[in-house]
Amino acid sequence: DVKVTQSSRYLVKRTGEKVFLECVQDMDHENMFWYRQDPGLGLRLIYFSYDVKMKEKGDIPEGYSVSREKKERFSLILESASTNQTSMYLCASLSGQVNEKLFFGSGTQLSVL
Amino acid sequence: KNQVEQSPQSLIILEGKNCTLQCNYTVSPFSNLRWYKQDTGRGPVSLTIMTFSENTKSNGRYTATLDADTKQSSLHITASQLSDSASYICVVRGTGGFKTIFGAGTRLFVKA
């Protein structure tokens, strides 16, 4: 089965710090996504990438950037962390086939103090 | 506006009982609808997919239904087990690109 691995389960950072969240998938999927999940809200798309070095803004890209230098790795960057970025961050990958499902990582719970 | 609404927000049932979770959507044009299960501290995992032509689909004790005319789906869990305690998320995908709308989820608690 597809494995999507996020580098950290829990992170605690201070306001203003630069934060890197890493995600690696092992199924050669073209498409990768970063979501955040907050209580009472559905998953919200931050950024996605459909190919190496390609990226597209999702619904809430402000305050975030991404990097996809290799097909298997998709990084989310918080240039200057703020308290309102405290959240659960989920990475997902998807093949290009019709009706294929998203494969999610276990998530990173980020707390910004 | 494309939306996915789930109800109830949370649900507590006794082990062995049945329950039904609801999902209403306004996503158009419609491609498919998936139900995901998310255990605490884990990422969501797909349970089942419903396409436009499908009315019902089962996966073990989980049965999903879809009424494409009224834009409603349900997930029925039979003979619940403690391990069913999780969030259940309804996800609707539109046609073209990766337009995917997530519901806020129903938090299910199964008590012994």
Side-chain angles (χ1 to χ4, degrees):
Chain A
D1 209 358
V2 176
K3 190 170 183 180
V4 179
T5 303
Q6 294 184 229
S7 54
S8 304
R9 291 296 302 273
Y10 302 95
L11 274 179
V12 180
K13 298 292 181 180
R14 297 203 174 274
T15 302
E17 278 192 78
K18 190 168 186 177
V19 182
F20 292 88
L21 302 183
E22 305 286 346
C23 176
V24 177
Q25 51 96 1
D26 65 358
M27 280 299 291
D28 204 36
H29 283 172
E30 299 88 354
N31 312 295
M32 296 187 74
F33 305 80
W34 275 107
Y35 295 90
R36 66 177 281 176
Q37 185 177 34
D38 299 290
L41 299 176
L43 272 72
R44 292 180 292 168
L45 180 64
I46 303 171
Y47 267 98
F48 70 96
S49 169
Y50 53 88
D51 202 351
V52 175
K53 296 190 186 297
M54 306 303 289
K55 60 184 179 183
E56 291 286 341
K57 292 180 179 179
D59 299 319
I60 51 165
E62 295 79 18
Y64 304 94
S65 63
V66 291
S67 172
R68 189 137 181 233
E69 296 297 319
K70 293 184 178 181
K71 192 174 186 179
E72 67 270 21
R73 184 180 300 270
F74 192 34
S75 303
L76 180 70
I77 304 154
L78 287 67
E79 293 289 342
S80 178
S82 62
T83 55
N84 62 13
Q85 292 179 310
T86 292
S87 187
M88 168 70 84
Y89 290 87
L90 287 161
C91 174
S93 74
L94 178 74
S95 77
Q97 297 177 28
V98 175
N99 290 340
E100 186 50 86
K101 60 187 174 185
L102 287 161
F103 290 88
F104 285 90
S106 293
T108 297
Q109 179 62 53
L110 173 66
S111 297
V112 182
L113 307 178
Chain B
K1 182 182 178 182
N2 290 323
Q3 287 186 308
V4 177
E5 303 281 347
Q6 289 188 246
S7 62
Q9 193 171 38
S10 61
L11 183 62
I12 303 173
I13 61 173
L14 290 175
E15 186 179 16
K17 297 296 185 182
N18 304 335
C19 67
T20 301
L21 315 180
Q22 299 289 346
C23 174
N24 297 336
Y25 63 92
T26 59
V27 179
S28 182
F30 173 85
S31 176
N32 62 64
L33 182 149
R34 280 190 184 273
W35 285 92
Y36 285 80
K37 178 186 180 187
Q38 185 176 19
D39 293 312
T40 302
R42 312 293 295 181
V45 175
S46 177
L47 291 174
T48 185
I49 180 173
M50 306 292 290
T51 56
F52 187 85
S53 59
E54 295 173 309
N55 298 120
T56 184
K57 184 177 286 185
S58 292
N59 177 7
R61 293 180 298 103
Y62 301 102
T63 300
T65 66
L66 175 68
D67 185 333
D69 291 330
T70 62
K71 296 184 169 58
Q72 296 179 325
S73 176
S74 66
L75 181 69
H76 185 76
I77 304 174
T78 303
S80 61
Q81 300 175 358
L82 298 179
S83 60
D84 292 331
S85 294
S87 289
Y88 292 84
I89 303 172
C90 176
V91 183
V92 181
R93 189 165 175 185
T95 57
F98 301 108
K99 189 67 174 176
T100 301
I101 310 297
F102 289 78
T106 291
R107 187 72 177 89
L108 175 65
F109 300 90
V110 180
K111 300 195 310 180

